[in-house]
Amino acid sequence: MNFNIGKRVQTKLKNRVGLDIGSSSVKMVEISSLGENSSLVCLGMKKASGSVREPLIEAIRSLSGEIRITAKEAAISVSGPSVIVRFVSMPKMRDDELKGAIKFEAEKHIPFPINECIVDHQVLKKNDKEGKLEMLLVAARKDFVMNKVSIAEESGFSVNTVDVDTFAVANAFLRSHFHSPAGKTAAFLNIGSSFTNVGIVRDGVICFARDIAIGGDDFNQAISKSLSIDMKSAEDLKLSPKDKMPDIVECTKGITNNLLDETRLSLSYYENQSGRGVDEICISGGSSVMPGLETLFQEAFESNPILWDPLDSLDKSRDSLNTVLIEKAKSSFAVAVGLALR
């Protein structure tokens, strides 16, 4: 598993595929990179249930053919309760000693047997004065990871990287926010179907990561129940409520307040641990464009959230690109873009 979110400068032209296998849709992006310059080759999205294996594989195969993916290596990612992310401090030691110590440190934080997990780590900072290492520790259930790998492989791809959704979003976020001044702290929320990925970055490094078990499907269910309509109609109405705007805001208020409360807890935890506040909040994901959400964030945090575009850092000049999809659903591609930029 590869969790390095640092910039990697390509010395030769190479195409990379980011494959985001979500709980309700598949999103795919192919990016061509040389040095610091990256261009969008193709992208696509297809509805598919992440819980039904064969239709999901068929959806990935179909989508890759429709958008004419050329690269056969893909980066994928995982998230949810089977993935544990912790920021820990350990005594400074040699690399060979660290490899052995990581397993014992991981066992303190992982709620399932260590031998059933894939564990990885990254040194974020070396504090020579205090003799400590600031570490990023990640563990994921082996069967959960390998299931996603096998789905990608049976769909025609070889998997070169398994990442974590929040780190992939951070990768795309840092590329689009490279102009942020030094010392500025930014939080991002990527509102997916089942989970909202929350991350905090400072000086180009991620320093907080968490999944909130609230997503677009929760909003859809609230609308469906309140207005007695099916889930597809609820999702359409969520994104384009027209004269139903007051009804949508009212019936989703409980879900929104829960999301805001969990976000507030995350930001408070970070502030208490680091002694620093967050300077800006940026949101992406399919439900980030839900009418009224921006206003509620503004009221809760007394500042306007930034709706950021994961495709912003990419050259999108190719004539073959689906410009309608780019304009309509660009916020939904944060994970896929972050993976393809690895």
Side-chain angles (χ1 to χ4, degrees):
M1 300 179 74
N2 191 334
F3 304 114
N4 181 8
I5 66 165
K7 292 184 178 180
R8 299 177 182 179
V9 178
Q10 297 296 322
T11 57
K12 61 180 181 179
L13 189 66
K14 184 170 184 178
N15 284 20
R16 297 179 181 273
V17 174
L19 174 57
D20 177 13
I21 306 173
S23 59
S24 63
S25 66
V26 173
K27 291 169 279 287
M28 203 177 297
V29 169
E30 183 172 356
I31 290 174
S32 179
S33 298
L34 179 62
E36 293 290 343
N37 300 314
S38 299
S39 61
L40 183 61
V41 177
C42 58
L43 83 168
M45 178 191 303
K46 187 177 283 290
K47 289 289 183 183
S49 173
S51 61
V52 187
R53 185 182 180 86
E54 293 306 320
L56 179 58
I57 292 171
E58 180 54 37
I60 296 172
R61 286 176 179 167
S62 175
L63 181 59
S64 62
E66 290 171 12
I67 64 176
R68 299 180 181 179
I69 288 282
T70 60
K72 290 304 178 183
E73 288 188 348
I76 64 172
S77 57
V78 292
S79 65
S82 292
V83 182
I84 304 297
V85 177
R86 294 289 185 270
F87 293 83
V88 300
S89 179
M90 295 180 64
K92 190 176 179 181
M93 62 187 77
R94 299 192 311 269
D95 289 344
D96 59 329
E97 295 175 324
L98 185 59
K99 289 179 181 179
I102 282 295
K103 178 180 178 181
F104 296 104
E105 182 65 27
E107 288 182 310
K108 301 176 186 177
H109 305 280
I110 299 173
F112 19 77
I114 191 73
N115 60 351
E116 296 178 5
C117 299
I118 297 173
V119 179
D120 202 357
H121 70 279
Q122 182 178 336
V123 177
L124 298 177
K125 184 180 179 181
K126 294 182 179 181
N127 190 330
D128 294 325
K129 186 177 180 180
E130 297 183 12
K132 291 183 178 181
L133 298 173
E134 302 301 324
M135 305 283 298
L136 173 59
L137 177 66
V138 181
R141 292 193 67 113
K142 192 179 299 183
D143 56 352
F144 178 67
V145 174
M146 297 313 298
N147 179 57
K148 279 220 171 180
V149 170
S150 67
I151 287 172
E153 289 178 340
E154 289 184 39
S155 303
F157 292 97
S158 61
V159 176
N160 57 18
T161 300
V162 179
D163 209 335
V164 173
D165 281 7
T166 306
F167 298 160
V169 177
N171 198 36
F173 181 75
L174 289 170
R175 283 292 292 267
S176 65
H177 275 62
F178 64 92
H179 56 277
S180 294
K184 191 171 187 178
T185 303
F188 62 80
L189 281 78
N190 183 58
I191 308 173
S193 296
S194 300
F195 297 96
T196 294
N197 314 123
V198 181
I200 297 176
V201 296
R202 184 179 71 246
D203 296 333
V205 177
I206 189 166
C207 42
F208 178 89
R210 179 196 175 197
D211 284 343
I212 297 173
I214 298 172
D217 288 346
D218 296 295
F219 291 103
N220 295 346
Q221 289 169 5
I223 296 169
S224 173
K225 183 178 180 180
S226 176
L227 302 182
S228 300
I229 57 178
D230 60 54
M231 290 288 283
K232 174 63 170 62
S233 300
E235 182 173 13
D236 293 341
L237 201 57
K238 175 184 71 177
L239 301 178
S240 182
K242 299 178 182 178
D243 60 335
K244 293 287 188 180
M245 177 75 167
D247 296 326
I248 299 303
V249 172
E250 182 60 31
C251 68
T252 59
K253 185 179 293 184
I255 306 297
T256 304
N257 285 337
N258 288 341
L259 178 59
L260 292 172
D261 288 343
E262 291 297 326
T263 301
R264 193 179 291 108
L265 284 172
S266 298
L267 302 190
S268 296
Y269 175 84
Y270 168 77
E271 185 172 356
N272 291 334
Q273 292 293 310
S274 68
R276 302 188 185 202
V278 170
D279 299 305
E280 64 180 19
I281 299 175
C282 305
I283 56 177
S284 63
S287 294
S288 64
V289 295
M290 187 173 74
L293 188 63
E294 187 175 1
T295 300
L296 293 173
F297 263 86
Q298 197 280 333
E299 292 173 354
F301 298 103
E302 299 182 349
S303 63
N304 287 320
I306 298 171
L307 289 169
W308 70 280
D309 176 7
L311 304 174
D312 181 56
S313 66
L314 306 176
D315 175 12
K316 299 181 284 293
S317 60
R318 294 191 181 221
D319 294 336
S320 58
L321 290 173
N322 186 338
T323 55
V324 174
L325 178 61
I326 289 174
E327 184 57 34
K328 181 182 178 181
K330 56 190 176 185
S331 293
S332 300
F333 286 92
V335 173
V337 167
L339 291 171
L341 285 172
R342 286 292 180 210

